[in-house]
Amino acid sequence: MANYAIITDLNRCTGCLACTVACKAINGVDVGSFWIKTLRIGPNPIEGGSGQYPDVEMYFLPVQCQHCEHPECVKVCPTEASHIREDGTIQIDKSKCIGCQFCVMACPYGVRYLNPEERVVEKCTLCEQRISQGDLPQCVQQCGARARFFGDLDKGVDNFEAPAHPDDPGTQYDEMIKTRVKLKDYVEPYKPTDIHHLKNAGNDPKLMYLLREGRKWRE
Amino acid sequence: MELQWPLILFTFFMCLSSGILFAQSVLALKGEGRAFQNTSLVASFVAMVVGGIAVFLHLQHWERIFNGFGHITSGITQELIGVVLLFLALLVFFLMARRSEDGSVPAWVAWVGIIVPVIMVAVMGHSYLMEGRPSWNTPMLIVYYLINAALMGSLTVLIIAAAKKQDGDFELLKKIVFISAILQLVALAVYAMVLGASVGTYADHGTYFDPTLPDIPKVEPAAVIGSLFTGSCALAFWGGAIVVGGILPICLSFLLNKAKDAGKTMTYACASLVCTAIGGLVWRGLLYVVALTIFAIFLH
């Protein structure tokens, strides 16, 4: 049907935390819990540099469920509460979750946690309630640097989309969020080798990070 | 990761339960131990029940296990199948012993009593092999559980024999205890080396900062795993797991092999079992301390 994912252009991400906050707001994530976090990676010394400022570099890394191709969380779930949806996203059927937390242990990225009130595990749903209606995930919609793009991997990452402010001055917010620009057309040129994934533990993470040559991807 | 005591106790008691049936079945194969085999079977069953209760305490919604439980690739499902098989092996042993006039069981029943516990313990260990957690993702976890089960089970059966004033030699069982005790120390040492060698498998982000956890220090896999040997966990590792849980059982098992009467057998077997139990619990706990994800950043 589809194979949804997100790509984040780390050369554009400013670490504003808008994705982190927007996600909490739209999904009602409790205080102290996060479905997406924005980490600062660095400052780390540039290779061949003095090891001191200004020979350093850093980037911001939004981390959430990677909606893996071969998710270990789904494999270890005894009730199939964690499952792969037809659109390729990993979802949790909370009514089936027994709270054994084996998925929390199996996730290589530590993005799952036990909701202490509901006593079930939860994590990023890729805004299932929005994407099933043709909208963008809220973290993509609200990205302050227009660094995040959402789309179907089967249609190619170049076609991933994000809203963008039209050239016409005075365009209102409601109108703006209906616009769509494609990754390839909007961001600075990139090569396939510039696209990275979080460390793979056999789970084949699908979410992607764009970090162009000249900046070292650290994993 | 925080210590998950229900899971620690589950693996401990399932090793004990499986080990007791294993040891009693070894005796049954040799035609020994009939006078106390029912006690051993009850001890194995009780350990299984205690382990089962412990693991239920880990479930947040245990009532939902009737709602779709059974995904076969799940280690929990496989463990449940293993527990059922172990219970059936116990039951078959008990019924076949009751059926015969002298309490003997056919050889195939004894072999079932040997093989099923091995499968149970191996499946239990396998359920924790997760590529996302390099500290667990090693066959040494299964090897350790198997040896630990053989040692604890054999010691428990020897204690039961001694308590029943059985002065038999049970040489084979005593040899299993001694060899298991040595192998357990070797397994601990090899596992520790595997942990040490796993440091390079974690993601290395260099310096990083999580703005939502500003007071949590950076996770350094080398430091976390190194804490086992020279840091905050060194006392637990060297004192609890290696000396008490590894070396003392070897010494006590050596003395156990020299013991000729039930009294001395009881003394050395009890002391060895207590040391093995302490060491086993400590090691299981330490495995949670070093169970970092391969991403190596705490997000919660």
Side-chain angles (χ1 to χ4, degrees), chain B residues 84-151:
Chain B
V84 171
L85 287 177
L86 188 66
F87 173 73
L88 290 176
L90 277 172
L91 191 64
V92 167
F93 195 117
F94 175 74
L95 292 176
M96 294 304 280
R98 291 275 293 180
R99 201 174 153 189
S100 66
E101 288 182 1
D102 59 355
S104 63
V105 294
W108 69 266
V109 173
W111 277 112
V112 168
I114 290 170
I115 294 167
V116 170
V118 170
I119 293 172
M120 170 66 222
V121 174
V123 164
M124 185 175 70
H126 182 262
S127 70
Y128 290 91
L129 303 194
M130 302 168 178
E131 282 195 65
R133 295 203 185 256
S135 294
W136 293 355
N137 193 37
T138 163
M140 286 314 299
L141 185 63
I142 298 175
V143 171
Y144 171 76
Y145 280 159
L146 285 169
I147 296 169
N148 186 242
L151 179 55

Side-chain angles (χ1 to χ4, degrees), chain B residues 237-283:
Chain B
F237 174 70
W238 293 110
I242 297 295
V243 175
V244 175
I247 296 172
L248 283 181
I250 294 176
C251 302
L252 292 163
S253 301
F254 178 76
L255 295 172
L256 180 66
N257 272 266
K258 301 278 181 194
K260 294 294 176 195
D261 59 85
K264 283 185 177 174
T265 299
M266 173 69 101
T267 304
Y268 295 133
C270 277
S272 188
L273 181 61
V274 168
C275 290
T276 306
I278 292 171
L281 289 170
V282 168
W283 182 240

Side-chain angles (χ1 to χ4, degrees), chain A residues 37 42 44 94 100 105 119, chain B residues 58 60 64 133 207 299:
Chain A
K37 277 194 173 186
N44 287 307
K94 287 188 174 182
C100 69
M105 292 190 257
R119 293 180 291 132
Chain B
H58 187 249
Q60 300 293 317
R64 293 183 186 167
R133 295 203 185 256
T207 303
L299 292 173

Side-chain angles (χ1 to χ4, degrees), chain B residues 171-183:
Chain B
E171 255 186 52
L172 179 60
L173 218 48
K174 287 179 179 175
K175 276 182 186 164
I176 289 175
V177 165
F178 187 56
I179 293 168
S180 301
I182 292 172
L183 288 178

Side-chain angles (χ1 to χ4, degrees), chain A residues 106-174:
Chain A
C107 175
Y109 312 114
V111 293
R112 289 173 165 246
Y113 64 92
L114 185 77
N115 180 324
E117 277 189 22
E118 295 181 65
R119 293 180 291 132
V120 293
V121 171
E122 60 183 31
K123 56 134 198 123
C124 156
T125 62
L126 219 59
C127 284
E128 182 192 9
Q129 75 280 22
R130 292 175 55 81
I131 61 176
S132 60
Q133 297 183 49
D135 289 332
L136 296 167
Q138 194 71 353
C139 57
V140 173
Q141 180 121 311
Q142 298 293 327
C143 177
R146 193 52 63 235
R148 286 168 73 79
F149 292 75
F150 168 81
D152 183 353
L153 276 170
D154 294 342
K155 293 178 181 169
V157 70
D158 291 349
N159 295 310
F160 276 34
E161 293 180 330
H165 202 291
D167 292 336
D168 184 19
T171 306
Q172 296 303 300
Y173 177 78
D174 287 344

Side-chain angles (χ1 to χ4, degrees), chain B:
Chain B
M1 190 197 293
E2 288 178 0
L3 301 191
Q4 304 289 322
W5 277 107
L7 299 181
I8 291 172
L9 293 176
F10 173 72
T11 60
F12 175 84
F13 280 106
M14 288 317 297
C15 279
L16 182 61
S17 173
S18 303
I20 293 171
L21 178 60
F22 169 82
Q24 191 61 50
S25 298
V26 168
L27 287 183
L29 206 58
K30 285 194 72 188
E32 296 177 2
R34 289 173 200 165
F36 54 85
Q37 63 189 11
N38 281 348
T39 309
S40 294
L41 296 180
V42 169
S44 176
F45 179 70
V46 169
M48 182 197 294
V49 170
V50 173
I53 291 171
V55 82
F56 257 69
L57 294 176
H58 187 249
L59 303 181
Q60 300 293 317
H61 282 288
W62 64 266
E63 78 282 0
R64 293 183 186 167
I65 62 170
F66 304 108
N67 183 21
F69 194 95
H71 190 207
I72 198 63
T73 59
S74 160
I76 298 180
T77 302
Q78 293 164 4
E79 282 174 331
L80 181 65
I81 293 169
V83 170
V84 171
L85 287 177
L86 188 66
F87 173 73
L88 290 176
L90 277 172
L91 191 64
V92 167
F93 195 117
F94 175 74
L95 292 176
M96 294 304 280
R98 291 275 293 180
R99 201 174 153 189
S100 66
E101 288 182 1
D102 59 355
S104 63
V105 294
W108 69 266
V109 173
W111 277 112
V112 168
I114 290 170
I115 294 167
V116 170
V118 170
I119 293 172
M120 170 66 222
V121 174
V123 164
M124 185 175 70
H126 182 262
S127 70
Y128 290 91
L129 303 194
M130 302 168 178
E131 282 195 65
R133 295 203 185 256
S135 294
W136 293 355
N137 193 37
T138 163
M140 286 314 299
L141 185 63
I142 298 175
V143 171
Y144 171 76
Y145 280 159
L146 285 169
I147 296 169
N148 186 242
L151 179 55
M152 288 202 296
S154 301
L155 284 168
T156 305
V157 171
L158 281 173
I159 291 168
I160 291 169
K164 294 274 184 179
K165 306 290 182 196
Q166 297 292 305
D167 280 334
D169 272 348
F170 305 118
E171 255 186 52
L172 179 60
L173 218 48
K174 287 179 179 175
K175 276 182 186 164
I176 289 175
V177 165
F178 187 56
I179 293 168
S180 301
I182 292 172
L183 288 178
Q184 182 175 255
L185 184 61
V186 173
L188 278 169
V190 173
Y191 201 154
M193 285 190 275
V194 169
L195 286 178
S198 73
V199 168
T201 61
Y202 294 90
D204 181 10
H205 304 95
T207 303
Y208 72 81
F209 178 68
D210 178 350
T212 66
L213 293 173
D215 55 342
I216 302 292
K218 177 187 172 190
V219 177
E220 297 271 15
V224 173
I225 292 169
S227 73
L228 275 185
F229 311 119
T230 55
S232 56
C233 297
L235 182 62
F237 174 70
W238 293 110
I242 297 295
V243 175
V244 175
I247 296 172
L248 283 181
I250 294 176
C251 302
L252 292 163
S253 301
F254 178 76
L255 295 172
L256 180 66
N257 272 266
K258 301 278 181 194
K260 294 294 176 195
D261 59 85
K264 283 185 177 174
T265 299
M266 173 69 101
T267 304
Y268 295 133
C270 277
S272 188
L273 181 61
V274 168
C275 290
T276 306
I278 292 171
L281 289 170
V282 168
W283 182 240
R284 283 170 174 80
L286 288 173
L287 287 180
Y288 277 90
V289 173
V290 296
L292 300 173
T293 67
I294 203 159
F295 188 57
I297 295 179
F298 288 131
L299 292 173
H300 293 286

